[in-house]
Every structure is written in C-alpha cells, then in structure tokens.
Amino acid sequence: MSAHLLENLNPEQRAAVTLPHESALILAGAGSGKTRVLTTRMVWLIQTGQVSPLGVLAVTFTNKAAKEMMTRVSAMLPINTRGMWVGTFHGLANRLLRTHYREAGLPQSFQILDSQDQLSAIKRLMKAMNVDTEKYEPKKVQRFINGNKEAGLRARDVEAFDEYSMRMTELYEAYDAQCQREGVADFPELLLRAYELLYRNEPLRQHYQDRFRHILIDEFQDTNTLQYRWLKLFAGPRTALFAVGDDDQSIYAFRGANTANMAEFEREFAHGNVIKLEQNYRSHGNILTAANTLISQNAHRLGKNLWTAEGDGEPIRVFHAYSDQEEASFVVDEVRALNREGMNLSDMALLYRSNAQSRVLEHALFSASVPYRVYGGLRFFERQEVKHALAYLRLLTNPEDDGAFLRVVNFPARGIGARTLEQLADGAARAGASLWQAACTGGGKVAGFAKLIEDMKQVTADLSLAEAIDHVIEASGLADYYRADKEGADRLENLNELVNAAALFAEESEAGIYDDADASTPGGAESFRALDTFLAHAALEAGEHQAGAGHDALQLMTVHAAKGLEFHAVFITGLEEGLFPHEQSAYDSTRASARSGSESFRANEESGLEEERRLMYVAITRARRRLYLSHAQSRMLHGQTRYSLPSRFLDELPEQVLLNLNRRSEPVYPSGGYSAPAAPRSPQTGNDTGYKVGQSVVHAKFGTGIIIDFEGRGSDARVQVKFREVGSKWLALAYAKLSPA
Ligand code: ATP
Ligand code: MG
C-alpha cells in the first residue's frame, strides 16, 4: 500500500516524503507539490507505523486545508482520526486552551472574540475609562494590542517611552483585565495564552514534547515570530520538524510574518537538510514563464526556478477596460463562454487585490445571473443576524460575556433603553459584577431578559446542537423580527443556514474532523461541550464557511485568500498602479519597522513593493490552464472615480506570452502623453449612435474634437474622440455630454 502511495511522486518529492526521522526544510516554488508532499508524508509515517496518529502535529494555513488533510488521511487509512492535531495555529491554540483551561486561567466555556467583537470591546472600555477617542483611535489601540501580542509582549513587557505609548499600554492592560473578567479571548490572545501555558508549565510541555514525534508545517514562510516560538515549544529532543514553504509567496509581512524564520529554521533544526522541488505540476508553460519572469525582479530571494513538463499552453489574455464596469462585463462574458464550453464555475476564480473591488464585479455577475460565492468580504459568521444569534448562544454558555449581553439585551427591542443600561453598567461596576449578575439581581425588563435566557438554557439542555440553535432563534424573537422586516428574507435565510451549519458541524465532529475530546492527555478536559466547540468554530472559521456551499459557483476572493489554492481559469482584475501594487504597500512596511528617515523609507518602499510583487506571483500561480489579466482606466472606489495607469506588473511580464484582447489597438489614458493611433479604423457599419467617424463634436468639458473610432452598441456604445486641447479619450455615449459641432 505504501508503494502505491509513493507512485504519484517524482524522485525529489519521494525523497522528501520518505525522509528518515530528522528535521528538514522543503523550499520550493508554487505548484511544485509542497502541500501534496506534506500530506503524503503524514500518511506515509502513520501507514508505515513510524508514528501513531496521535503523535503527529500538523499546521496548515486554513481550516479548509486542515479538513482536506483529515479527509485524505481517513480515506487512505482505516484509522480513527479523532484526537489528531491537524489545524491552523489559532485552531490548535484554541484546542490546547480548551483542554487545559484551568491551567491557562480561563473559564471552561471561554468565548472567542473576532476582530469586530474585539473592536467593540475596546470602544466600550474606552468609554468606561473616559478616554479621548480622537487622540487614541480605537482601531489604533486594537492594532497596538494585537501587534504586541503577536510579538509575544504583555502590557507589562511593553517599553513605553512617551505619554502616548504609556496611555496605549495602560489601555492594553485594562483591556486584558476586561477580557479576563468576561471570560473572552481575542485571536492573538489564543496564541499568546497557549504559548505562555506551555512555556510556564514544564510537565505539560514535557507531555506534548514526548507525544509529538513529527511536526509538519505548511506555508512556513508566513509564520510570525510568536507562531514560530510556539512551535518550538512543542519540539522535544526526539521531535522531527518538517517545514515546507516558499519565500516568494510570503505575503503577510504586514502582519508580522517573518521570512527570517526560514533561515533560522534551517540553522536551528534542518542543519542544512534542505530539499528543493523545481517541477511545477499546476500550470502550463506560459503561465509559469510569466510568474518566473515577474518574481525574478525581486532582489531579496532565496532563489529557485520552476519548470514544467507541460507545453506552453494558451497565451495569457490581457484586457484593457476603460472603466471598472466594462472590466466586470468583460469578465462576465468570458466566464459564461467558458462555462458553456463545459468548465465548471467552481473551477474559475476571480481575484482582486482589495475587497472594495468586489462590489462592481458582484453586481455584474448578479445581473447576469451567474452564481458566485465571495470568500472573505462580509463573512457568513460575521453577518449581523448571525452574530445576534451567536450572542444569545454565547450568553447561554457564558453569561459573564458583557459584549454578548449588550448586543442582544435589547435586540429585538424589549423597551430596554440606553439609560437603563447605563444604570445597570454603573451598578455592575460598583459591585465588581458582570452585567448579567446585575440584571439577575435587578428588576424590571432587564430581569425579564435574564429570565428569557434562563428559560432558553433549560429548554436547550436536552436538544441537539442544531435543534438548540433553532430554538434560540425562535424564542429570542429574532425569527419574528426578520419575518416582519420586509428586507428580512435574506437574513432569515442566513439564520436557517446557521442551523444547517450546526447540523453539518455536528456530523463532521462525529467523524472526528474537528477538535474533540482529547482523552490521550492526562488531566485534560474530558470533552468540549458541543455548543462551545461550535462557537469556537464559528469564530475561527468565519471567513471560510459560506452559505450554500456545494453549489457550482464562480469563486471570488482577494489574492491573499487564494493562497495555496488552484483553479483551471483565473482572472486577476484591477491591475492598476495604486491598486495592485497597492499604494499603501510602502506605508504598511513603514509601519512594520518603526523607523523613519528617508534612507529606511526608501528601503521600506522597496520591500513594500517586493511584497506586492510576491502577491502578484501568488495570483498568477493559482492558474492551471487559462489566465486573464485586466485593468480599468477609471474605477469607482470609496465613492470616488479614480483614473490610473496600468500596473507596472503588466510591463514586467514577457511580451511573447501575452495576448492583447482589445479590439482597439491601444488603450487611452486621460492623463498621459498618449495620442491616438494615426489611422482610425473604418467606421462600424450600421452603428446606432447617430454619430460617424470624422464628425466634429463638442464636449461640455473637453471642448471640440473629432470622432476617430467607435465601439459597442446601444447603451454600451462609446466613441473615441480626439480633442484639440486634451488629446483623445474614449467616452461612453450614454453619459458623455457630447453634441454635434
Ligand atoms: P502552493 O505553493 O501554491 O501552495 P504547492 O507547492 O503546495 O503549491 P500542491 O498544491 O501540492 O503544490 O500541488 C500543485 C498541483 O500539482 C496539485 O494539483 C497536485 O495534485 C499536483 N501535483 C503535485 N505533485 C505531482 C506529481 N508528482 N504528479 C502529478 N501531479 C502532482
Ligand atoms: Mg501548498
């Protein structure tokens, strides 16, 4: 059976999979089979009896990847995958803390705050402390707290050097105290708390170090300092670490990812045991050539090249649109054509640099009735109605959670006003109690709310997870509220979807796909209660669960979210200067290192640009067969129309692999020195615009000019006009203030 397992691997991959019990670094480019090697090694180690399933710790980048890995392992091995430690950093930290909640100083049913929840908690704290939110912006406070946690620093470890940082540090400390009181933990807290737990608790550390003989890490290039330190705590003298990564795909420096970890890993663990994989199995030749050429322009690389045994394949299609709307309708047309030719929608991905770009694309897809699914953006578990339902559930399991209490105490409306709540909060603060405790001992409507929660608790005690959630949605009045709202149908549907998600979750955790009872750990909690596990899952998997998953739908996501994935056809949209590369990239890297000064600013600008280029490299290498690159001259973003030049990344690609799809010979830029092609193409016969090539026209703003070309028809028709003063422009006839001269 193991021979069969190794059959579909090339010699280097096979060598990596079957490495003896020692640490190694697999350094290889996109699509070279790193993830495949990691998964296969895990199966191989178990199958050949070198390690028990419980002796493996595997960290992947998304819950989805973790789930796939578990599914693969259970398909190949007739073993119980229950209790296996496969997950994301946050998922595994959560698991560790649930198992050892007492040692970690947390209540058994501590709740996880996503970043929205965290921000509201910070605002609430600042209000109670009377802090000027103009001077100390809550978002900056959040960034300060998270940045320090990710660097492994508690408030007491932060070196405050001026009044501002002293105040920030005070807020950090007060915020942590508030979380502790309420029994909640934010994302970076999970990791830091888990780290501290193992760091301080020698017997526990010993236990895990003895247990984990093999630690495997995917996407190692994107680990931050704390994550790396965390991993090292698990590694005992007999643990082999197997890290796979690609420095060219490091795209989280802005969040503290540290590629230096790779060099450090090589020195500390791998001792020069580095395997490179260079054959790419994902993409056709032209796509790979484009990716290789692009990334070769980064100065800071460990250096490697990729080749493919596949032919060149199709050229890369480039489309210049004059507006974001035209870009969107181009995408829709191409998607439909590919779909008609037999490609599944789910095999196509529409990528963009920033979430704000998705609106126009979604609108066009929706109008054309193309099913699509957005990953990230407004995530399922972050939708207002879903969060309301989750807040009720959180109160059922942990009534001290003031954030959850405030969210739903008067939603749907129960006549509990702001004044009542202020009094309640004052009372609670004086007594050093939670809002819940204050509500239970108080009277009136607030006590009525407490009674409602108590009743729900009783009824749901004997119900299955899905039934319990269904009951809460009804009994809380949420269902009625959205039924009565004429725009509530979608929200109601999402609440039903929450019940479905819970049912699916229950099924999957039966099958051992999620963190569950960890009987193998002495002193650990026997099992996590279903509701707590589900709530943790909802917080941790917020970006990944999608309503209606399973239907064939076009995949929309940011380039960041596409990491590790692959698609037959990929559209990379919005390739414009300022957008991709993003204009904030220089700023972001400046923030990462606190220095300023022109020297280091230039260096930061450069490294910001290199990170953007790596991001483009990630985007290109998602495509297997067909790749589209598009940009728009004008785009509505954040309520403003902006005009931009095409991305420099387009110029960095080798021309021989590109195919220009535009019928017109060149795009036209409003602000460049570009002048129209000398010989206008012949006028379209039978155009329905009432204008013809060669005709003189007047424009309200640009003055007089002459029509030199046409495109499209009906409401999509546009003309190219060569203006005397401002050069030539493409104008949409439907909007242009144009009249015959
Ligand atoms: P990324 O850097 O994007 O995460 P990766 O290095 O992890 O990529 P994989 O996703 O593991 O690459 O593999 C890319 C594709 O190539 C997958 O479809 C995988 O199944 C396929 N593949 C990998 N190795 C082989 C092989 N030896 N023979 C055939 N197909 C392979
Ligand atoms: Mg991978």
Side-chain angles (χ1 to χ4, degrees):
M1 190 161 179
S2 39
H4 171 67
L5 184 70
L6 302 177
E7 244 165 42
N8 298 318
L9 299 172
N10 68 32
E12 292 78 29
Q13 291 176 330
R14 200 171 309 137
V17 165
T18 57
L19 273 179
H21 190 143
E22 59 193 34
S23 293
L25 174 65
I26 313 301
L27 177 64
S32 58
K34 293 183 298 298
T35 302
R36 181 190 264 218
V37 162
L38 185 138
T39 312
T40 313
R41 176 160 172 87
M42 190 159 91
V43 175
W44 180 79
L45 287 169
I46 298 171
Q47 207 178 53
T48 52
Q50 299 182 57
V51 66
S52 101
L54 296 181
V56 176
L57 171 66
V59 187
T60 66
F61 203 71
T62 60
N63 289 299
K64 194 163 157 239
K67 216 162 122 177
E68 260 169 41
M69 209 168 270
M70 290 297 244
T71 316
R72 255 193 90 175
V73 174
S74 9
M76 291 194 199
L77 295 172
I79 55 158
N80 187 354
T81 52
R82 262 203 154 156
M84 275 186 76
W85 280 53
V86 177
T88 61
F89 278 106
H90 286 124
L92 294 173
N94 172 55
R95 177 181 194 141
L96 188 75
L97 295 174
R98 300 258 169 218
T99 311
H100 308 285
Y101 66 95
R102 266 190 223 98
E103 294 91 329
L106 287 166
Q108 180 169 18
S109 51
F110 72 87
Q111 297 299 309
I112 301 170
L113 300 184
D114 65 21
S115 59
Q116 272 176 26
D117 298 333
Q118 185 188 26
L119 189 61
S120 345
I122 289 171
K123 287 182 181 158
R124 182 152 51 81
L125 174 81
M126 292 176 73
K127 193 160 169 230
M129 289 172 69
N130 271 322
V131 180
D132 179 359
T133 49
E134 300 260 302
K135 188 159 179 208
Y136 303 92
E137 284 172 48
K139 279 212 156 138
K140 288 206 176 133
V141 176
Q142 183 177 30
R143 230 181 281 147
F144 179 86
I145 293 173
N146 291 352
N148 278 305
K149 285 190 181 180
E150 272 154 14
L153 302 174
R154 289 287 178 197
R156 60 172 178 277
D157 307 318
V158 177
E159 275 183 52
F161 44 86
D162 56 10
E163 196 203 320
Y164 184 80
S165 54
M166 263 152 67
R167 192 74 175 134
M168 289 294 238
T169 310
E170 256 172 56
L171 285 169
Y172 178 10
E173 185 146 33
Y175 164 79
D176 263 4
Q178 172 177 296
C179 288
Q180 186 65 32
R181 215 165 41 239
E182 296 178 2
V184 295
D186 55 55
F187 286 153
E189 179 70 25
L190 290 177
L191 216 66
L192 182 53
R193 190 67 78 111
Y195 173 80
E196 290 169 343
L197 170 67
L198 279 197
Y199 184 78
R200 291 186 191 141
N201 192 323
E202 159 113 50
L204 208 58
R205 191 167 69 240
Q206 204 71 54
H207 163 77
Y208 282 106
Q209 289 189 352
D210 285 346
R211 169 175 166 177
F212 293 126
R213 294 303 161 93
H214 287 275
I215 297 180
L216 304 97
I217 316 129
D218 201 359
E219 309 272 7
F220 186 66
Q221 75 278 358
D222 279 326
T223 49
N224 67 26
T225 307
L226 182 61
Q227 289 166 338
Y228 184 44
R229 274 163 59 186
W230 191 84
L231 279 175
K232 288 202 279 192
L233 280 184
F234 282 102
R238 277 173 313 199
T239 309
L241 285 91
F242 187 84
V244 313
D246 177 5
D247 59 309
D248 289 333
Q249 293 187 71
S250 158
I251 54 175
Y252 281 96
F254 72 100
R255 258 202 231 152
N258 186 0
T259 29
N261 287 343
M262 296 185 85
E264 205 171 314
F265 180 84
E266 188 182 338
R267 211 177 47 244
E268 290 184 329
F269 293 97
H271 307 301
N273 200 1
V274 179
I275 296 185
K276 294 197 176 185
L277 309 173
E278 301 204 310
Q279 180 169 2
N280 171 295
Y281 288 92
R282 179 179 294 146
S283 311
H284 275 169
N286 284 334
I287 295 172
L288 209 55
T289 304
N292 283 339
T293 311
L294 179 95
I295 201 65
S296 70
Q297 291 165 70
N298 268 4
H300 304 98
R301 300 180 65 208
L302 297 177
K304 55 194 146 29
N305 225 342
L306 282 174
W307 62 276
T308 175
E310 299 271 354
D312 288 346
E314 302 176 9
I316 295 169
R317 294 165 162 79
V318 181
F319 184 71
H320 304 277
Y322 75 102
S323 72
D324 48 353
Q325 307 205 356
E326 191 195 27
E327 180 186 52
S329 72
F330 161 75
V331 169
V332 170
D333 289 347
E334 292 294 319
V335 165
R336 290 166 108 181
L338 289 175
N339 193 224
R340 270 197 304 275
E341 287 165 22
M343 195 185 288
N344 286 334
L345 291 170
S346 55
D347 287 331
M348 303 178 219
L350 189 43
L351 307 183
Y352 34 82
R353 172 68 180 83
S354 121
N355 268 316
Q357 285 167 257
S358 76
R359 198 188 50 80
V360 176
L361 296 166
E362 285 186 65
H363 181 76
L365 290 165
F366 182 80
S367 310
S369 307
V370 177
Y372 65 89
R373 193 171 306 133
V374 187
Y375 290 82
L378 194 51
R379 299 152 178 196
F380 177 73
F381 286 113
E382 289 172 2
R383 286 172 199 276
Q384 186 209 82
E385 62 280 10
V386 175
K387 291 212 88 158
H388 284 323
L390 294 176
Y392 279 101
L393 298 168
R394 275 161 58 175
L395 280 181
L396 292 190
T397 163
N398 173 22
E400 312 294 310
D401 186 340
D402 283 358
F405 183 95
L406 286 170
R407 180 175 262 276
V408 291
V409 63
N410 196 38
F411 194 97
R414 304 189 169 86
I416 300 175
R419 273 210 50 75
T420 315
L421 287 177
E422 254 166 50
Q423 283 166 1
L424 190 73
D426 284 348
R430 267 196 311 276
S434 64
L435 294 172
W436 169 260
Q437 285 164 342
C440 288
T441 51
K445 289 177 175 145
V446 179
F449 174 72
K451 169 93 170 47
L452 174 74
I453 300 291
E454 281 298 346
D455 288 348
M456 282 182 190
K457 209 164 165 173
Q458 285 207 337
V459 176
T460 54
D462 301 322
L463 299 181
S464 74
L465 183 63
E467 288 166 343
I469 294 178
D470 197 32
H471 174 78
V472 167
I473 291 170
E474 286 295 336
S476 61
L478 282 176
D480 280 339
Y481 176 86
Y482 290 118
R483 271 185 210 116
D485 182 352
K486 62 179 184 309
E487 312 217 306
D490 279 354
R491 298 191 188 271
L492 209 53
E493 204 171 290
N494 284 332
L495 289 177
N496 286 331
E497 181 65 25
L498 181 64
V499 178
N500 294 340
L504 181 69
F505 175 81
E507 236 171 66
E508 288 181 337
S509 38
E510 271 297 292
I513 285 183
Y514 297 105
D515 306 351
D516 204 293
D518 201 355
S520 62
T521 304
E526 274 300 285
S527 81
F528 316 138
R529 288 170 300 171
L531 183 54
D532 288 335
T533 321
F534 179 68
L535 287 170
H537 163 80
L540 292 169
E541 209 175 317
E544 298 173 41
H545 178 90
Q546 294 292 321
H551 299 296
D552 187 33
L554 179 67
Q555 315 280 302
L556 269 66
M557 65 194 86
T558 61
V559 181
H560 279 101
K563 191 165 79 148
L565 306 179
E566 61 188 18
F567 305 92
H568 275 290
V570 168
F571 294 82
I572 308 174
T573 61
L575 282 165
E576 291 134 40
E577 280 296 298
L579 190 56
F580 199 1
H582 202 274
E583 56 207 357
Q584 303 248 296
S585 53
Y587 162 74
D588 271 327
S589 55
T590 317
R591 207 181 55 202
S593 92
R595 283 168 307 164
S596 52
S598 64
E599 267 303 289
S600 70
F601 181 75
R602 253 198 308 284
N604 282 324
E605 199 172 49
E606 198 48 43
S607 74
L609 182 62
E610 292 211 346
E611 175 139 324
E612 292 291 306
R613 197 176 280 115
R614 289 192 294 270
L615 199 53
M616 181 66 180
Y617 174 80
V618 169
I620 294 175
T621 52
R622 298 310 97 200
R624 304 186 58 185
R625 301 285 172 260
R626 186 175 282 206
L627 178 61
Y628 292 91
L629 308 176
S630 61
H631 81 90
Q633 281 177 44
S634 73
R635 176 179 301 279
M636 272 292 268
L637 262 187
H638 311 297
Q640 279 186 345
T641 307
R642 15 189 295 170
Y643 294 89
S644 348
L645 292 168
S647 168
R648 69 188 76 190
F649 296 150
L650 285 168
D651 296 333
E652 292 177 1
L653 302 177
E655 230 166 276
Q656 76 272 13
V657 302
L658 304 180
L659 171 69
N660 190 330
L661 289 187
N662 293 69
R663 279 171 296 150
R664 55 177 184 264
S665 48
E666 281 285 336
V668 182
Y669 307 110
S671 56
Y674 178 80
S675 62
R681 287 179 296 157
S682 57
Q684 279 180 355
T685 48
N687 81 66
D688 56 359
T689 61
Y691 289 97
K692 56 182 192 291
V693 167
Q695 186 176 352
S696 296
V697 287
V698 181
H699 185 271
K701 197 161 135 210
F702 303 134
T704 55
I706 183 166
I707 293 184
I708 56 173
D709 204 358
F710 275 96
E711 250 186 20
R713 39 184 61 243
S715 59
D716 277 331
R718 39 186 196 280
V719 290
Q720 190 181 20
V721 182
K722 188 168 185 182
F723 289 103
R724 193 173 292 152
E725 303 292 338
V726 294
S728 51
K729 290 181 185 299
W730 280 97
L731 301 168
L733 271 175
Y735 306 107
K737 301 181 179 64
L738 211 61
S739 53

